[in-house]
Amino acid sequence: MSFRVHVRVMPRTGLLDPQGLAGAHALSVLGFAGAGDVRVGRAIELELAAGSREEAESEARRMCERLLANPVTEDFQLDVEAR
Amino acid sequence: MSFRVHVRVMPRTGLLDPQGLAGAHALSVLGFAGAGDVRVGRAIELELAAGSREEAESEARRMCERLLANPVTEDFQLDVEAR
């Protein structure tokens, strides 16, 4: 079976996020007064061949732990969608 | 009212995505044989004060069009969540 995996990798809460600060500043300069607490991370999408949804999730989790996310500074969320 | 906005900005389908290619190569080297078509974009989260969900969505869409996404090379998806 084939799955589409959506990964969201975000800087861990409490850690400084310079990209987020820059985004918040730029939004404010552009007149978006209601915006705050901007955080910027990575969105990753991939195709994954696996025998079941559970297997796909577990494989995607291992990918995040080994490569896609930095375990010290980032958290990740997975969303696995059957094709 | 306060909303949490999740934005996913991805390279437009068909455009070259060097980060995605690098990710696909690294996953393959690490032994994740089932992975393919890796695309890497940005995940952005922000707080937004707005009068209604519709207003928050429309404001977030304008933020993407003016700053958060490149209209030539990227597509974005919004998810607005009431707090």
Side-chain angles (χ1 to χ4, degrees):
Chain A
M1 293 170 72
S2 179
F3 298 87
R4 189 79 189 157
V5 180
H6 301 264
V7 185
R8 177 184 289 268
V9 181
M10 299 303 290
R12 193 156 282 173
T13 308
L15 288 188
L16 186 66
D17 172 16
Q19 261 193 291
L21 293 179
H25 177 70
L27 286 173
S28 143
V29 166
L30 288 173
F32 293 105
D37 190 20
V38 183
R39 312 280 292 168
V40 178
R42 292 190 304 290
I44 303 161
E45 293 186 10
L46 52 92
E47 294 289 323
L48 188 51
S52 68
R53 175 183 293 270
E54 288 67 34
E55 194 186 303
E57 273 194 24
S58 134
E59 187 84 341
R61 188 167 299 278
R62 289 203 304 126
M63 288 177 189
C64 288
E65 288 163 357
R66 292 206 55 198
L67 179 75
L68 302 178
N70 179 335
V72 178
T73 60
E74 295 174 324
D75 290 315
F76 62 87
Q77 280 187 301
L78 289 174
D79 182 32
V80 175
E81 176 193 337
R83 300 305 297 264
Chain B
M1 293 169 73
S2 179
F3 297 87
R4 188 80 188 154
V5 180
H6 301 265
V7 185
R8 177 184 289 267
V9 181
M10 299 303 290
R12 194 156 281 173
T13 309
L15 289 189
L16 186 66
D17 173 15
Q19 261 193 291
L21 292 178
H25 177 71
L27 286 173
S28 143
V29 167
L30 288 173
F32 293 105
D37 190 21
V38 183
R39 312 279 293 169
V40 178
R42 290 189 304 291
I44 302 161
E45 294 185 11
L46 51 93
E47 294 291 323
L48 188 53
S52 67
R53 174 183 294 268
E54 288 68 33
E55 194 185 303
E57 273 194 24
S58 134
E59 187 84 342
R61 188 167 299 279
R62 289 203 304 126
M63 288 178 189
C64 289
E65 287 164 358
R66 293 206 54 199
L67 179 76
L68 303 177
N70 179 335
V72 178
T73 60
E74 295 174 325
D75 290 314
F76 62 86
Q77 280 187 302
L78 290 174
D79 183 32
V80 175
E81 177 192 337
R83 300 304 299 262

